[in-house]
Structure formats: structure tokens, C-alpha cells
Amino acid sequence: MEERYNFKTVESKWQKDWAEKELYRVEIDPRRPKYYCLEMFPYPSGTLHMGHLRVYTIGDLLARFKRMKGFNVLHPMGWDAFGLPAENAAIEHGIHPASWTARNIANIKRQMQALGVSYDWRREVNTCQPDYYRWTQWLFLLFYRRGLAYRKKAAVNWCPACATVLANEQVEDGRCWRCDSVVTRKELEQWFLRITAYADRLLEDLALLDRWPERVRVMQENWIGRSEGVEADFKAEATGETITVFTTRADTLFGVTYMVLAPEHPLVERLVAGTPYETPVKEFVERTRTLGELARTSLETEKEGLFTGAYAINPVNGERIPIWVANYVLMEYGTGAVMGVPAHDQRDFEFAVKYGLPIRLVIQRPDGGLMLEEMTEAYVDPGVMVNSGPFDGLDSREGIQKVADYLEATGKGRRTVNYRIRDWLISRQRYWGAPIPIVYCQGCGTVPVPEDRLPVLLPPDVEFLPGGPSPLARAEDFVKTACPSCGGPARRETDTMDTFICSSWYFLRYASPRETAGPFTREEVNYWMPVDQYVGGIEHAVLHLLYSRFFTKVLHDAGLVEAVEPFSSLLAQGMVTKDGAKMSKSKGNVVSTDEIMETYGADAARLFILFAAPPERDLDWSDRGIQGAARFLQRVWRLMAHYRDRLGGDGQAPLADTALAGRERELRRLTHRTVKKVTEDIEGRFNFNTAISAIMELVNALYLYREEAGGRENLAVVKEALEKVTLMLAPMVPHLAEELWRALGNRESVHLQAWPEFDPEAARAEEVTVVIQVNGRVRDRIQVPLGLGEEALREAVLSQEKVRAHLAGRKVVKVITVPDKLVNVVAR
Ligand code: ANZ
Ligand code: ZN
């Protein structure tokens, strides 16, 4: 064995060997429990960054660990390959999106292989290949047939820089999720998926996801935003038309002093027509319309409104109230009209103060001390109803129900449920995506492309120009087609699908990646699904994770998959930072993954990533840290080099525990305790960092033992320890572990071995008897592990039944401990 561990030769040697032997090839095996371990597949934008390295390292550890634990592990990888950057590269550098993407994929794949990740590469999927997007289109048609895909004209989010529309989920704080431009609104005819039809189930089934981070579930819950309330019918005084409002606070109906319509509300135009208010209101409407939804509802945005000159009648008391239009009311939520209750809603309070509208108190604080004149903000808590006619004196929470009953009984309103979530806008005016398989025919209207004519292929020869309409819309050969139904002239849909559709079902495709008769086979998908462990970034908390859940449910309803939820357990890994700051090109603090792998090797990088922080926490990249990891690997290597020749193939088993002398017994105990701890840390808690610390301690103990034994070590005990260390390191540093394993005289790969067992008997700590005194008199004796710390010992003693009995009614003043021997409790 060489003196120094040479990762360069060793890592590539084993990577080649594993690939040749197809070590990670996996098929259905009904005799073994399955385990589906999945990392979010990357968008192939160039090279891997540290965040990627972290996800794949974590996923690979789990996949390898489970394999050693006897599971049949599916661990696949693929490419989320459609998307705007490829098209921008085409515009800027004249390279075709397909070539740009293929080149990046080749590079990233090389990096993943250099990292030594255990993927079954035969199952690689690529969403921009016709053999994949054919099924994306097929699924679109399935949604269409089930009434879950439809086209409508709507005010949609428009990113001027990306020159395309965006889903609500892709707008963050009023900005484009991809390029950060301020999003505006446009009226366009677009395709939607009816995710709202699944709102209730998406909400309810969150309860099944007990192995998801709480915060992700909460974010989805808020995004779905279920809200129970009533619709109340007001009447427009002039025209007699009904104006329905949605409110969650029916108890405040008597406190309404004005009403507000969304600028887009269809009634606005009619109310102001031919009045002096027409021009200013129309101007106001135009101005607010272009603002994105979040910009409008953001608390920072100044609330602005205008009186329409019209009045409405309150259904509960017949009062006449002015009708306004304002920027903070959204057409897409509820009914697009709200009743203004300034005394009990902060937004309304501010609005009323700003525009001098009356404020009326209708909910009194339980102590009765609320005075309208003294209010500086809205009173939003429950209380007692006042100024509310027949409802006076009611608890407001009860009032919500009573007023709802009244509205329903009199036909002036009804209970209803509202959701914040909107249908998913999926059409994009871009080239590099899966074409929507629809044709428009003068005679037949909207005609789906028949399944046997899929895929609708992207034409390769198109022109990429900055700005402007999509290249597809200008590709006449593509656009002009024959109607599949009547054969007459027809035009193709030129929008492509949101790439989030491609990624909403890729985890199903891995089950049957080469299937040509369908997106997957029932047998395979039902064997592998659901994904047992999903690993990925928190930035997908709402987007990808919500969409994938939606897809899975629809496919379940269509009888295609048994699973109702795609991902049983979710691990959202933290960010990788440099000196506490997020790594980014603009900050110039990006650590190059290629450079790290060149300098330190894959194993050192992996070990550092796993050791530096628990997976959910942020990980600060440090050169010292990775150097430390590399040194530890050398240290393990030297230990093996030292013993290798002496361990030989003699096959001597460790001596029975009792026959071992003290030092040997301690070392053996530590070996078994370490296996126990590492197993538990990985399995239940994802505490890879503490698992690695434990292995490091064991290695230290081996060095110490070698020194103390001075050449007269018990080699059976050493060999056992080295074997277990090697096996435990296998999922973390697969290359070094393989090399060590062979050095121990084994001919089969370490990655085909079983995870090490521990002997509970050998792992048990030695126990000692501790005498317990209370005020100097012996009251009890207990068995505790040798070397138990003072704090733990004290706790153990004070919880003893007998001790508690002697202390009854007294106060402990002091506890004197003599570890391993005696504890004296002084009490008065
Ligand atoms: C009167 C009222 C009084 C309200 C009060 C609240 C407190 P959630 O819980 O999110 O569903 N609202 C209704 N439609 C709206 C729209 N299109 N744009 C903006 N705001 C709208 O919120 C429901 C509440 O949001 C409704 O209850 C309504 O204000 C407002 F003391 O009605 B409330
Ligand atoms: Zn036709």
C-alpha cells in the first residue's frame, strides 16, 4: 500500500469499475423492500454549484446506506432540460437551445460521475427529448379530457424581460422568479390547469405528510389559503343590480360604511357611464390594472381609491353606502367586491382615515372600554356585538354564525368557501418547451392532437430574435397544419408548456424510463411509488412540490398510479454560504466545484459537506474545513497501511468479550457503540455530522490503542474495528472505503456488503454501583454506566423513588457527587 492516499487514481479507478459492473443497476424485486431515493433533478445551466454537490451527496449517502440495509434502492438522475436560459443563449450567442442544453448536460453528468454518485444511469430521463415530452403532451391531453385543462382570457402576470406570462407561483413579491423584473398585468387568452379543483385535497392531505418539514406544509397551506365566510348581496341603488361581497366577518355587517370594487370589476364601467366620474375613474382603473397582484396587496403599497359617485344598499339595515374603486381589492379573489368596515379591519381603517369615510364601532371589547374617538387602529379581535340591531349583545364569534343564518334564511346571502390559490397558468410564449398539443380549426374549433400523432415535435429550424413573439408563432411550417378531425386547414397552438409541468411527473418516468406504450407501466410505477425520500431545496416549497402533488392526485384519479402523494419524506437542505453570505456570481464568492474536486477529490468534498452542518442548516464553505476532511481521510488510510500486512487473511475471529483484557474490551465496546450511534444518527435523524464525529473518535481510539499496545495489539479486535469503520464510511466516502475494503483482503465491492451490525452486549457500557446518601445516611444504591457525568448522575439520583420519598417536604440545598462512587443529597 502506498504511504499517501492518492485520490486521483483511486477515485477514477473505482468509478470505472462500478460503471462496468453496473453496480447500481436496479429492477423490480418483490422479495426485497423497495426504497426510492430521489434528489431534485437539475436544470442543466452550465456547471454544478456547491448547492448541487450538497444535495447529491446527501441523497447518495441515503441511497447507499439503504442498499447496505438490504433495500432494493431506486436512485435515478435526469435533466429538467426545457427552459428560458437555453433560448436566451440562442438569442445572444446563436447556439441552438438543443445544442446548448446537450453540452451542459454532458458537462454536469461528468461532474456527477466524478462525485461518485450511485445512480442507475440507464434510467436517465431528459425532459427536452421527444421520447419524454411525448408523454408530457399525453398527460396534458389527459387533463384536457378530464376537464382539468382549459383556455380562457384573463388578466395574467407578464414578465417584460422574459417576454412571457408567469404562473402566480412564479411571481415573488411582485417580481419574476427567474429574472427579478417587476411583473405587470396583461389580458391574454391562455391555457390553465384546474388546480383549484384539488385545493381541498391538497390541503387535507398535508396531514399525511408528517415527514415533511413543518414550514413547507405551512407554506402550502397558506398558499392554498382556504377561508370560510359568507357572500352578502348588496344592491346598486341606481340600477338595482346585485353586488355580492365576500367576507369572513359577517358579524361586522352593521359596521359597513362604504363598499369597494376591484378596478377590473365589470360593474365599474356601468356605474360611472355618462357621469362626471367616468373619466377620472377610468384613468384610475387603467393605472392600477398594470400593477401585479402582489404589488397591489403588499402592505407597503399605498392604498389608493376613488369614489364612483354611486351608492349601494346594505342588506341587513337598508343603509345607503358609497361605492369606491381601490387598488387593494383584487378581482381574482372572492367576488372582486368588499364591504368596508373601518372599525374592525386595519386596511379599511387606514383607507377610511385617508379619505374621510365614517367609522362605526360594532364590536365592543369584552371589558367594554373601547371608545371610537380614541381608536388609532382597527379593533380586530372578537368581542361583543353593538350597534347591530337584533344581534346586539352576542359574542361576535357566535355572531358570525347567526348573521350567516339570517342571510341564508332571508335569501340575502350564503355561506361559502374561498381559496387564495388560482388555477395554474401553464402556457408560455416561448420556443424551448413542450408544445401544447392543440390545433385550432375554423370548423371544429379547439381540437386535441390525437394520441397516436404525438409528439408534436418542436421544429428545429426557427429564428431566435430578441424580444418579439415566440419563434414558434413565426414558424409557418409548424403553425399551418391539417385539422385532425376534418382534415381542413388549421393552425397549431404555438404556446409551449411551463417547464414545471415537465417536472411534475418525472419521478414517475424513472420507474419505466424507456417505456414506449405509455408514460410508465402500472406495475413498475406502483412498485416504486411513492418516493421514500426526496431531497432538494426549500425554494420549491410551493412551486414544484405543490404541482407534483397535484399531478399525482390527478393520475391517481385516472387510475394510473396508486399513490395519492408523491413524496413520503422530504429533506429540504440548507444553503451553502461563503463567509455567511449566499454564494452568487455577482458577489464573486462562488467556490468552483471542479476546482474543489481537482484539489481535494470527491471523497473529501463529500465528507466535508456531510460533516460541516446538519443537512437542514446552512453550510458555510471553508477551505480549512475541507482540508481537515482530506487530512482525516489520510489518517484512516495510514492506519490501514500500518496494519494491512499484519492483518492478513488469517480470519481469526474477535475473542469472546469476557476473555478480553480491559483495554481491548474498551476498544471493542467503542467499536460497537459507534456502529449503534452512526446507524441511529443516519436512520432516524439525518445527523450525518454527529455520525462522522463518532467515526472520527473511533479512529482516534485506534491510534491511541496502537501507541499504548506498543506492537502487541490484539489484531482480531483491530481488524473488527477497521472493518466496521470501512463499512460505515462506505456511503459517505465511497471511493476510499472501496480501497480500504480491498486492502482488508475482500474481493467483492464494499457497496454490495451489508451495513455493519452491532452486538448490544459488547456495546453495553460497564456499570458501577453508586451509593446514595440523604443528609449523610445511606438510603439506596443504583447501577449506572461507568464514567457517567455529574449532571446525569445527579439527575438519576434525584429521580429515584426512595430518594424522593426521603426528600418529601424538604428542599434540596446541595448535591455532592463523587462520580462512579457516591452521591450525597443535602436537604432541609
Ligand atoms: C369585511 C371585513 C371586516 C373583513 C373585518 C375582514 C375584517 P381572507 O381571510 O384572506 O379570506 N376581501 C374579500 N375579497 C377581497 C378581495 N377581492 N380583495 C381584497 N380583499 C378582499 O380575507 C377575507 C377578507 O378579505 C374579507 O373579509 C374582506 O374583508 C377581504 F373586520 O370583509 B372582510
Ligand atoms: Zn376541423
Side-chain angles (χ1 to χ4, degrees):
M1 255 173 114
E2 282 182 54
E3 254 315 288
R4 278 191 71 74
Y5 175 61
N6 184 343
F7 71 83
K8 281 211 167 121
T9 50
V10 172
E11 290 186 351
S12 56
K13 173 179 76 181
W14 290 122
Q15 280 159 17
K16 233 175 103 216
D17 183 73
W18 299 334
E20 268 163 20
K21 303 208 167 97
E22 294 197 307
L23 218 57
Y24 311 117
R25 176 190 182 120
V26 63
E27 294 298 343
I28 288 187
D29 177 0
R31 290 159 309 163
R32 279 191 293 160
K34 68 93 185 178
Y35 187 82
Y36 187 173
C37 180
L38 185 65
E39 296 106 61
M40 289 180 185
F41 68 164
Y43 176 74
S45 63
T47 52
L48 293 183
H49 57 66
M50 278 300 163
H52 290 123
L53 231 51
R54 190 175 189 196
V55 195
Y56 308 139
T57 298
I58 292 169
D60 195 41
L61 179 150
L62 292 169
R64 289 177 183 277
F65 174 75
K66 286 289 178 179
R67 247 183 237 120
M68 292 176 83
K69 278 276 190 176
F71 288 84
N72 191 30
V73 174
L74 174 58
H75 190 213
M77 185 40 73
W79 318 104
D80 189 9
F82 274 136
L84 210 46
E87 205 166 330
N88 289 342
I91 295 167
E92 281 161 37
H93 309 297
I95 174 169
H96 195 277
S99 338
W100 185 85
T101 307
R103 203 173 65 190
N104 289 341
I105 288 177
N107 187 43
I108 293 181
K109 190 168 176 182
R110 167 190 66 76
Q111 290 187 298
M112 285 179 173
Q113 282 167 335
L115 190 63
V117 190
S118 62
Y119 297 129
D120 179 355
W121 282 109
R122 295 173 316 132
R123 290 177 183 266
E124 179 177 350
V125 304
N126 179 341
T127 61
C128 74
Q129 298 274 328
D131 72 346
Y132 184 91
Y133 72 72
R134 166 184 184 184
W135 301 112
T136 306
Q137 292 173 336
W138 187 90
L139 289 170
F140 173 88
L141 294 177
L142 177 102
F143 276 64
Y144 183 75
R145 273 199 313 275
R146 299 179 72 81
L148 294 170
Y150 66 94
R151 196 160 178 257
K152 75 163 182 204
K153 189 165 185 160
V156 297
N157 306 302
W158 175 262
C159 173
C162 294
T164 186
V165 299
L166 300 171
N168 284 352
E169 288 82 359
Q170 291 164 337
V171 182
E172 292 161 1
D173 294 331
R175 289 171 181 274
C176 171
W177 70 292
R178 226 190 49 72
C179 75
D180 230 26
S181 307
V182 173
V183 168
T184 62
R185 307 284 281 179
K186 254 192 178 184
E187 284 271 329
L188 286 172
E189 187 104 27
Q190 297 289 302
W191 283 94
F192 292 83
L193 292 193
R194 210 180 292 282
I195 193 171
T196 51
Y198 282 73
D200 261 329
R201 280 166 66 192
L202 287 167
L203 192 65
E204 274 162 25
D205 287 355
L206 284 174
L208 304 173
L209 305 178
D210 55 338
R211 287 188 296 139
W212 277 38
E214 171 77 17
R215 59 185 169 140
V216 175
R217 277 182 290 155
V218 169
M219 281 165 85
Q220 291 210 356
E221 194 180 323
N222 291 341
W223 185 262
I224 296 166
R226 184 179 196 276
S227 154
E228 285 180 13
V230 298
E231 284 179 0
D233 298 332
F234 286 63
K235 286 251 176 308
E237 187 189 47
T239 64
E241 279 179 282
T242 300
I243 312 177
T244 304
V245 303
F246 171 71
T247 178
T248 49
R249 293 290 306 273
D251 57 323
T252 64
L253 253 169
F254 287 82
V256 176
T257 58
Y258 65 100
M259 168 188 278
V260 187
L261 303 180
E264 299 89 346
H265 199 290
L267 207 64
V268 173
E269 225 166 296
R270 264 174 282 155
L271 288 178
V272 297
T275 75
Y277 296 91
E278 184 163 8
T279 317
V281 166
K282 276 191 168 163
E283 270 169 22
F284 175 81
V285 167
E286 269 324 300
R287 245 189 303 131
T288 24
R289 206 170 226 167
T290 51
L291 271 183
E293 166 169 336
L294 278 140
R296 263 166 63 176
T297 46
S298 153
L299 288 175
E300 276 109 75
T301 309
E302 179 73 20
K303 279 141 211 65
E304 283 191 62
L306 215 59
F307 179 45
T308 62
Y311 289 84
I313 305 300
N314 186 332
V316 293
N317 56 12
E319 266 180 23
R320 185 171 180 263
I321 52 166
I323 304 176
W324 287 59
V325 283
N327 60 357
Y328 71 88
V329 176
L330 303 171
M331 192 56 218
E332 294 82 22
Y333 190 70
T335 60
V338 302
M339 58 191 218
V341 187
H344 306 292
D345 180 279
Q346 186 57 24
R347 233 172 19 182
D348 295 350
F349 186 87
E350 287 164 25
F351 194 77
V353 169
K354 176 168 175 179
Y355 293 106
L357 292 158
I359 301 176
R360 182 188 303 158
L361 191 73
V362 291
I363 307 295
Q364 179 55 264
R365 212 161 59 197
D367 69 5
L370 206 59
M371 308 267 275
L372 186 60
E373 306 74 46
E374 289 167 10
M375 282 171 78
T376 54
E377 57 179 18
Y379 176 75
V380 299
D381 292 332
V384 182
M385 291 177 71
V386 293
N387 298 327
S388 298
F391 300 96
D392 279 355
L394 269 185
D395 178 287
S396 65
R397 280 160 296 201
E398 207 188 327
I400 292 179
Q401 299 309 327
K402 287 274 149 63
V403 176
D405 289 344
Y406 167 81
L407 288 174
E408 287 186 334
T410 54
K412 293 171 177 170
R414 62 219 67 85
R415 286 184 167 81
T416 168
V417 176
N418 252 301
Y419 297 89
R420 205 178 90 87
I421 191 171
R422 300 272 77 89
D423 277 341
W424 175 11
L425 197 175
I426 57 142
S427 38
R428 297 289 176 274
Q429 293 68 51
R430 309 301 313 195
Y431 168 78
W432 197 231
I436 295 176
I438 291 286
V439 159
Y440 303 105
C441 164
Q442 290 236 315
C444 316
T446 305
V447 184
V449 175
E451 283 174 15
D452 58 7
R453 293 204 213 156
L454 298 180
V456 174
L457 286 171
L458 273 178
D461 305 317
V462 293
E463 242 189 318
F464 297 99
L465 300 171
S470 153
L472 275 190
R474 281 181 281 118
E476 273 302 299
D477 288 350
F478 173 81
V479 178
K480 277 199 202 137
T481 184
C483 168
S485 170
C486 72
R491 297 179 70 77
R492 280 192 194 282
E493 170 62 66
T494 57
D495 283 355
T496 54
M497 289 183 235
D498 183 357
T499 60
F500 277 95
I501 292 199
C502 311
S503 56
S504 291
W505 73 279
Y506 79 107
F507 44 90
L508 304 170
R509 181 68 177 170
Y510 284 135
S512 324
R514 305 290 162 255
E515 178 62 27
T516 54
F520 40 77
T521 71
R522 219 167 287 229
E523 189 200 3
E524 287 171 303
V525 91
N526 288 335
Y527 174 81
W528 289 115
M529 285 299 288
V531 172
D532 295 279
Q533 183 62 57
Y534 202 23
V535 187
I538 191 85
E539 68 273 18
H540 289 294
V542 174
L543 290 152
H544 164 60
L545 291 170
L546 189 65
Y547 295 150
S548 299
R549 295 183 59 218
F550 168 47
F551 258 64
T552 304
K553 289 184 189 310
V554 173
L555 297 191
H556 171 87
D557 290 354
L560 294 174
V561 289
E562 278 165 17
V564 288
E565 283 291 335
F567 315 123
S568 304
S569 175
L570 175 69
L571 199 168
Q573 95 281 356
M575 265 193 319
V576 181
T577 58
K578 182 84 205 288
D579 306 319
K582 191 178 170 161
M583 279 191 200
S584 76
K585 277 200 192 117
S586 57
K587 286 203 197 83
N589 61 352
V590 176
V591 177
S592 146
T593 47
D594 269 338
E595 231 174 272
I596 290 295
M597 305 268 282
E598 271 294 303
T599 318
Y600 301 100
D603 283 346
R606 294 170 63 124
L607 188 72
F608 168 68
I609 284 171
L610 296 169
F611 181 58
E616 283 102 346
R617 296 274 191 77
D618 286 353
L619 180 161
D620 202 46
W621 188 265
S622 94
D623 295 335
R624 291 236 324 271
I626 189 161
Q627 284 155 11
R631 269 200 308 277
F632 172 70
L633 299 182
Q634 290 292 349
R635 192 167 155 77
V636 178
W637 176 259
R638 283 199 308 276
L639 197 60
M640 186 65 80
H642 175 82
Y643 282 115
R644 183 195 151 115
D645 296 337
R646 291 167 63 197
L647 290 175
D650 60 14
Q652 47 175 309
L655 302 168
D657 202 15
T658 44
L660 290 173
R663 223 174 9 220
E664 280 74 23
R665 195 183 318 165
E666 263 315 304
L667 181 58
R668 183 147 195 267
R669 178 174 298 131
L670 187 63
T671 302
H672 286 262
R673 288 173 73 94
T674 306
V675 173
K676 179 170 190 280
K677 175 165 174 54
V678 171
T679 311
E680 289 167 358
D681 279 357
I682 294 178
E683 207 145 48
R685 304 186 280 260
F686 300 138
N687 279 348
F688 313 135
N689 54 331
T690 53
I692 293 171
S693 300
I695 299 174
M696 288 174 169
E697 276 169 38
L698 178 56
V699 170
N700 288 345
L702 277 161
Y703 267 95
L704 196 67
Y705 175 63
R706 182 176 92 178
E707 210 170 284
E708 290 176 355
R712 303 189 26 216
E713 296 97 319
N714 179 324
L715 290 176
V717 174
V718 170
K719 183 171 183 180
E720 188 193 34
L722 283 174
E723 265 172 11
K724 293 206 192 285
V725 164
T726 303
L727 290 167
M728 286 188 288
L729 285 176
M732 304 166 180
V733 288
H735 312 86
L736 173 74
E738 187 75 295
E739 191 73 7
L740 294 173
W741 187 245
R742 307 302 174 117
L744 282 164
N746 300 294
R747 322 226 16 198
E748 201 186 44
S749 171
V750 70
H751 303 297
L752 299 176
Q753 308 308 311
W755 182 253
E757 301 278 342
F758 65 91
D759 174 356
E761 203 41 50
R764 225 186 43 216
E766 207 164 335
E767 294 199 328
V768 288
T769 304
V770 168
V771 173
I772 304 176
Q773 298 180 335
V774 176
N775 289 339
R777 295 184 57 183
V778 176
R779 295 298 187 186
D780 204 356
R781 289 186 166 76
I782 51 167
Q783 295 285 112
V784 297
L786 179 71
L788 190 67
E790 280 196 40
E791 192 61 30
L793 185 58
R794 185 192 146 106
E795 239 169 70
V797 164
L798 291 177
S799 65
Q800 289 299 307
E801 196 106 341
K802 276 197 193 161
V803 177
R804 296 236 299 267
H806 281 284
L807 290 176
R810 293 200 248 181
K811 212 179 135 215
V812 176
V813 223
K814 202 165 157 193
V815 181
I816 303 156
T817 55
V818 185
D820 299 336
K821 293 208 169 62
L822 176 131
V823 174
N824 184 13
V825 184
V826 183
R828 261 204 304 267

